[in-house]
Amino acid sequence: MFQRKRIKAIQEEVERQHAAVEGRADGLLEKLKGSKWTAAILLGAVVFAIMVLWSLS
């Protein structure tokens, strides 16, 4: 009986943390959508990653 309560409490805590993290991620995504520099930064990151991978091969 005690283990079921403990498991349920742990599960509720995990769900609460998941909801909090998801809310913060959604907020960050909204900020990025509002930024005019987002596309340029992401494109730069992709180009940089391609250059690094190309130089390694």
Side-chain angles (χ1 to χ4, degrees):
M1 185 71 163
F2 175 73
Q3 287 180 338
R4 286 186 203 164
K5 288 182 182 179
R6 180 171 156 84
I7 290 171
K8 187 174 182 180
I10 291 171
Q11 183 180 14
E12 289 172 354
E13 178 65 20
V14 168
E15 288 174 359
R16 186 186 64 76
Q17 289 178 359
H18 178 71
V21 168
E22 191 173 310
R24 286 183 288 208
D26 288 343
L28 178 62
L29 184 60
E30 289 301 317
K31 286 181 184 178
L32 286 174
K33 283 181 182 177
S35 173
K36 63 180 180 178
W37 291 101
T38 302
I41 292 170
L42 290 176
L43 180 60
V46 168
V47 169
F48 180 74
I50 290 171
M51 288 174 43
V52 168
L53 291 174
W54 191 8
S55 68
L56 292 176
S57 62

